[in-house]
Every structure is written in C-alpha cells, then in structure tokens.
Amino acid sequence: MTTIVKERNRQKQENRNLQKRGLDETMNNVFEVKDLNLWYGNDQALYEVSMDVPENKVTAIIGPSGCGKSTYLKTLNRMVEMVPIVKTSGSIKYKGQEIFNGKYRVEDLRTKVGMVFQKPNPFPKSIYDNIAYGPRIHGIKKKAELDKIVEKSLRGAAIWDEVKDRLNENAFGLSGGQQQRICIARALAIEPDVILMDEPTSALDPISTAKVEDLVQELKKNYSIIIVTHNMQQAARISDKTAFFLNGEMVEFAETDDLFSNPKDKRTEDYITGRFG
Ligand SMILES: Nc1ncnc2c1ncn2[C@@H]1O[C@H](COP(=O)(O)OP(=O)(O)OP(=O)(O)O)[C@@H](O)[C@H]1O
C-alpha cells in the first residue's frame, strides 16, 4: 500500500471514530430499559434485557424466530399486557418516566408510542376515515382540522400523491404496500414521538419494501423508530443501531456498522454469518 493510501485510510478511520464519538455524546434516549424480564405464564420469554433506545434514530432488532423480538417491542408500549398471563419485572423509562409505575396512564404512552404491524391492517373504512380515526377519538371534530391532519399524515407517509383523489374510497382497494403506508400514516396522525414497527415489510413485494425503507429514513428526522426485522440486509441498510436477540436475551447492541463488521460476541458472529437462524 502506498503511503498516500495508508494516510487516507488512517484519516477515514479517524473521521469515523470522531463521528461515532460525536453521535454518542449528543445522543438522547427515548427509552431506558433495565433488567427487563417477561413471562408468559410460567414460560420466561425475556431475560434481564437492558438497552437504551436513542432518539431520532432507527434501532433494528434482529434475531432468529421465537427469540423475543416482538415481545420486547410490544413491551415498550405495554401492548404485551393485553395477554392476560403476562408478568414483567425490571424497569422501562420513557423519556425519564417509569412506564410500569401504576400512575403512568397506558393511553398516554400509546399516544406517544405508535405501532405498525407485520400485515397491513387498515380498518374497513375509507382512506380518509382510517387516518381521521385516531384524531377523532382524541376529540378533534372540525372537518377543516381533520382535513389538515389527514393530508399531513398521508404526506408524511409518502402516499398523498397516490391517494389524494380517492380519499373516500375503501382502504382495502389499495395494494398491500399502499395499505402499509396508510397504516404508517394512521400512526403518524396521532403525532407520536416513537414508531414501533414489527416486520413492516415482510408481507410486501420488493418495490413496496424499498418505498417503506425510504420512508423510514425520512421519518427518523422527526421520530424515533424501532424496527423488528428478520432481514439482516434490511437492518444493515436502514438502521443506525442494531440489537441482536437470542433465546430471550439481548446478546449485543451496537452501532449497526460495528455490529455487522466487528461483532463482539461469538453468537452474534455466528448468526450474522449464517451459521444458524
Ligand atoms: N401470546 C403468547 N402466549 C404465550 N407465549 C407467547 C405469546 N407470544 C409469544 N410467546 C412466546 O414467547 C417467545 C418469544 O416470542 P416472540 O413472538 O416475541 O419472538 P420473535 O423473536 O418475535 O419471533 P418471530 O420472529 O417468529 O416473530 C416464544 O417462545 C413464543 O412462543
């Protein structure tokens, strides 16, 4: 290697280190999770999970089937408690406040922490009513105000141009990829801070997947996004940080580039190199 190339590589590495340090220093956390355990009846599904989720970043959760990714995600907005046999221990702070504290209103949490599911699940209503549903529940009745929210949310989910002339048509008439962006718009309409996404592209074709991935990049300017994905390439493409889960444990959590290029734990290395999963 010539001296010039060596020097350029050294400078590149130094810049990367500086950027990474800068990122760590300026990073705020939306969630601080400490020693989280979760049981479905007698079966433990999460073991001592501790990880802080950064604000205005995309955090990916990867790991083999059944390792607790969805369970972890649904714990962050306490949706997991809809399963009556669930018990938890440990602490989850959302913006500094303990969400397991009896005084914390779960409705407030779910307004701030929206969710998008694996299969697009629009309501059997018009496109307009799908988006206006949440704001109406929150007491917004005026048509002009709802019109504004519907347009803003559909624009935010990069689907306004495709549906603006058919807002009164049933959302079921849209393609799967469009339905998923309607569901993202529906989540945006209640102005959350965080969007949880549980394998949002696994039911979509490659073109719709690319659109949703581009959208996630756009959304992180204003929202913190936590995305569960089976697809390691997707995690590498779109996330800033990645956590690897295995058998209910959070094995490793790092900057995405670091996790994929320099995993610290042998189990992470085995998984990302395809030795299991
Ligand atoms: N409602 C439930 N009742 C009982 N056990 C459950 C329930 N939901 C999940 N589990 C169990 O908890 C463990 C973790 O499941 P979870 O769905 O969180 O994993 P996952 O990593 O998201 O899997 P996948 O990638 O297949 O969606 C599994 O053993 C699963 O069987």
Side-chain angles (χ1 to χ4, degrees), residues 40 45 63-72 83 85 199 230:
Y40 290 105
S65 202
C67 68
K69 305 181 294 295
S70 298
T71 298
Y72 173 72
V83 181
I85 51 171
E199 299 192 45
H230 260 122

mmCIF file of all heavy atoms in Angstrom, residues 40 45 63-72 83 85 199 230, ligand 1:
data_model
loop_
_atom_site.group_PDB
_atom_site.id
_atom_site.type_symbol
_atom_site.label_atom_id
_atom_site.label_comp_id
_atom_site.label_asym_id
_atom_site.label_seq_id
_atom_site.Cartn_x
_atom_site.Cartn_y
_atom_site.Cartn_z
ATOM 1 N N TYR A 40 -44.634 -15.389 29.987
ATOM 2 C CA TYR A 40 -45.992 -15.752 29.571
ATOM 3 C C TYR A 40 -46.355 -16.923 30.471
ATOM 4 O O TYR A 40 -45.852 -18.041 30.264
ATOM 5 C CB TYR A 40 -46.028 -16.199 28.109
ATOM 6 C CG TYR A 40 -45.784 -15.097 27.092
ATOM 7 C CD1 TYR A 40 -44.562 -14.988 26.416
ATOM 8 C CD2 TYR A 40 -46.786 -14.181 26.780
ATOM 9 C CE1 TYR A 40 -44.358 -13.995 25.457
ATOM 10 C CE2 TYR A 40 -46.584 -13.177 25.825
ATOM 11 C CZ TYR A 40 -45.364 -13.094 25.175
ATOM 12 O OH TYR A 40 -45.157 -12.112 24.227
ATOM 13 N N ALA A 45 -39.858 -15.353 28.560
ATOM 14 C CA ALA A 45 -39.571 -15.001 27.155
ATOM 15 C C ALA A 45 -38.490 -13.925 27.042
ATOM 16 O O ALA A 45 -37.825 -13.822 26.015
ATOM 17 C CB ALA A 45 -40.846 -14.515 26.465
ATOM 18 N N GLY A 63 -32.737 -11.242 15.077
ATOM 19 C CA GLY A 63 -32.568 -12.489 15.828
ATOM 20 C C GLY A 63 -33.471 -13.557 15.245
ATOM 21 O O GLY A 63 -34.422 -13.242 14.519
ATOM 22 N N PRO A 64 -33.195 -14.827 15.557
ATOM 23 C CA PRO A 64 -33.989 -15.918 14.983
ATOM 24 C C PRO A 64 -35.421 -15.937 15.503
ATOM 25 O O PRO A 64 -35.735 -15.277 16.499
ATOM 26 C CB PRO A 64 -33.237 -17.180 15.400
ATOM 27 C CG PRO A 64 -32.369 -16.784 16.528
ATOM 28 C CD PRO A 64 -32.116 -15.314 16.423
ATOM 29 N N SER A 65 -36.259 -16.703 14.841
ATOM 30 C CA SER A 65 -37.663 -16.816 15.203
ATOM 31 C C SER A 65 -37.819 -17.239 16.668
ATOM 32 O O SER A 65 -37.077 -18.113 17.135
ATOM 33 C CB SER A 65 -38.281 -17.873 14.284
ATOM 34 O OG SER A 65 -39.639 -17.673 14.246
ATOM 35 N N GLY A 66 -38.738 -16.593 17.366
ATOM 36 C CA GLY A 66 -39.050 -17.003 18.738
ATOM 37 C C GLY A 66 -38.080 -16.492 19.790
ATOM 38 O O GLY A 66 -38.147 -16.898 20.948
ATOM 39 N N CYS A 67 -37.169 -15.570 19.406
ATOM 40 C CA CYS A 67 -36.155 -15.133 20.382
ATOM 41 C C CYS A 67 -36.636 -13.979 21.244
ATOM 42 O O CYS A 67 -35.911 -13.516 22.125
ATOM 43 C CB CYS A 67 -34.862 -14.743 19.669
ATOM 44 S SG CYS A 67 -35.042 -13.250 18.677
ATOM 45 N N GLY A 68 -37.856 -13.462 20.981
ATOM 46 C CA GLY A 68 -38.414 -12.430 21.860
ATOM 47 C C GLY A 68 -38.437 -11.023 21.273
ATOM 48 O O GLY A 68 -38.733 -10.061 21.982
ATOM 49 N N LYS A 69 -38.164 -10.917 19.969
ATOM 50 C CA LYS A 69 -38.116 -9.574 19.344
ATOM 51 C C LYS A 69 -39.458 -8.848 19.465
ATOM 52 O O LYS A 69 -39.519 -7.712 19.924
ATOM 53 C CB LYS A 69 -37.739 -9.667 17.846
ATOM 54 C CG LYS A 69 -36.455 -10.398 17.563
ATOM 55 C CD LYS A 69 -36.145 -10.434 16.080
ATOM 56 C CE LYS A 69 -37.104 -11.232 15.214
ATOM 57 N NZ LYS A 69 -37.134 -12.682 15.482
ATOM 58 N N SER A 70 -40.538 -9.533 19.032
ATOM 59 C CA SER A 70 -41.861 -8.886 19.060
ATOM 60 C C SER A 70 -42.301 -8.630 20.489
ATOM 61 O O SER A 70 -42.904 -7.596 20.789
ATOM 62 C CB SER A 70 -42.920 -9.763 18.400
ATOM 63 O OG SER A 70 -42.596 -9.945 17.070
ATOM 64 N N THR A 71 -42.001 -9.580 21.364
ATOM 65 C CA THR A 71 -42.374 -9.414 22.772
ATOM 66 C C THR A 71 -41.725 -8.153 23.331
ATOM 67 O O THR A 71 -42.370 -7.321 23.977
ATOM 68 C CB THR A 71 -41.928 -10.650 23.588
ATOM 69 O OG1 THR A 71 -42.618 -11.789 23.075
ATOM 70 C CG2 THR A 71 -42.212 -10.501 25.064
ATOM 71 N N TYR A 72 -40.428 -8.002 23.040
ATOM 72 C CA TYR A 72 -39.708 -6.819 23.518
ATOM 73 C C TYR A 72 -40.368 -5.548 22.978
ATOM 74 O O TYR A 72 -40.633 -4.597 23.712
ATOM 75 C CB TYR A 72 -38.235 -6.902 23.095
ATOM 76 C CG TYR A 72 -37.479 -5.642 23.394
ATOM 77 C CD1 TYR A 72 -37.154 -5.305 24.715
ATOM 78 C CD2 TYR A 72 -37.117 -4.753 22.391
ATOM 79 C CE1 TYR A 72 -36.487 -4.132 25.015
ATOM 80 C CE2 TYR A 72 -36.453 -3.578 22.680
ATOM 81 C CZ TYR A 72 -36.139 -3.277 23.993
ATOM 82 O OH TYR A 72 -35.488 -2.098 24.283
ATOM 83 N N VAL A 83 -52.083 -9.628 26.734
ATOM 84 C CA VAL A 83 -52.094 -11.074 27.011
ATOM 85 C C VAL A 83 -52.183 -11.205 28.533
ATOM 86 O O VAL A 83 -51.258 -10.815 29.250
ATOM 87 C CB VAL A 83 -50.796 -11.747 26.490
ATOM 88 C CG1 VAL A 83 -50.817 -13.237 26.743
ATOM 89 C CG2 VAL A 83 -50.582 -11.447 25.012
ATOM 90 N N ILE A 85 -51.817 -13.434 30.771
ATOM 91 C CA ILE A 85 -50.888 -14.209 31.610
ATOM 92 C C ILE A 85 -49.498 -13.556 31.718
ATOM 93 O O ILE A 85 -48.609 -14.109 32.348
ATOM 94 C CB ILE A 85 -50.729 -15.657 31.071
ATOM 95 C CG1 ILE A 85 -50.388 -15.651 29.582
ATOM 96 C CG2 ILE A 85 -51.973 -16.490 31.362
ATOM 97 C CD1 ILE A 85 -50.013 -17.014 29.022
ATOM 98 N N GLU A 199 -41.720 -6.048 11.838
ATOM 99 C CA GLU A 199 -41.542 -6.624 10.494
ATOM 100 C C GLU A 199 -42.484 -5.982 9.465
ATOM 101 O O GLU A 199 -43.290 -6.684 8.844
ATOM 102 C CB GLU A 199 -41.771 -8.135 10.538
ATOM 103 C CG GLU A 199 -40.782 -8.817 11.462
ATOM 104 C CD GLU A 199 -40.805 -10.315 11.293
ATOM 105 O OE1 GLU A 199 -40.820 -10.760 10.140
ATOM 106 O OE2 GLU A 199 -40.800 -11.021 12.312
ATOM 107 N N HIS A 230 -36.554 -9.626 10.258
ATOM 108 C CA HIS A 230 -35.885 -10.910 10.046
ATOM 109 C C HIS A 230 -34.730 -10.750 9.073
ATOM 110 O O HIS A 230 -33.900 -11.633 8.928
ATOM 111 C CB HIS A 230 -36.871 -11.884 9.382
ATOM 112 C CG HIS A 230 -37.466 -12.824 10.348
ATOM 113 N ND1 HIS A 230 -38.810 -12.926 10.537
ATOM 114 C CD2 HIS A 230 -36.899 -13.708 11.206
ATOM 115 C CE1 HIS A 230 -39.046 -13.829 11.460
ATOM 116 N NE2 HIS A 230 -37.910 -14.306 11.883
HETATM 117 N N1 LIG B 1 -49.289 -14.678 23.489
HETATM 118 C C1 LIG B 1 -48.352 -15.541 23.851
HETATM 119 N N2 LIG B 1 -48.601 -16.505 24.759
HETATM 120 C C2 LIG B 1 -47.639 -17.381 25.157
HETATM 121 N N3 LIG B 1 -46.382 -17.376 24.669
HETATM 122 C C3 LIG B 1 -46.072 -16.447 23.753
HETATM 123 C C4 LIG B 1 -47.018 -15.486 23.287
HETATM 124 N N4 LIG B 1 -46.415 -14.688 22.374
HETATM 125 C C5 LIG B 1 -45.140 -15.133 22.269
HETATM 126 N N5 LIG B 1 -44.925 -16.186 23.084
HETATM 127 C C6 LIG B 1 -43.661 -16.935 23.243
HETATM 128 O O1 LIG B 1 -42.623 -16.037 23.599
HETATM 129 C C7 LIG B 1 -41.409 -16.351 22.912
HETATM 130 C C8 LIG B 1 -40.952 -15.143 22.102
HETATM 131 O O2 LIG B 1 -41.871 -14.912 21.049
HETATM 132 P P1 LIG B 1 -41.810 -13.620 20.123
HETATM 133 O O3 LIG B 1 -43.008 -13.627 19.241
HETATM 134 O O4 LIG B 1 -41.576 -12.422 20.953
HETATM 135 O O5 LIG B 1 -40.488 -13.920 19.270
HETATM 136 P P2 LIG B 1 -39.975 -13.287 17.903
HETATM 137 O O6 LIG B 1 -38.496 -13.212 18.026
HETATM 138 O O7 LIG B 1 -40.690 -12.011 17.634
HETATM 139 O O8 LIG B 1 -40.382 -14.404 16.846
HETATM 140 P P3 LIG B 1 -40.758 -14.278 15.283
HETATM 141 O O9 LIG B 1 -39.527 -13.751 14.611
HETATM 142 O O10 LIG B 1 -41.057 -15.693 14.884
HETATM 143 O O11 LIG B 1 -41.925 -13.352 15.172
HETATM 144 C C9 LIG B 1 -41.730 -17.575 22.072
HETATM 145 O O12 LIG B 1 -41.331 -18.707 22.762
HETATM 146 C C10 LIG B 1 -43.243 -17.548 21.921
HETATM 147 O O13 LIG B 1 -43.761 -18.844 21.788
#
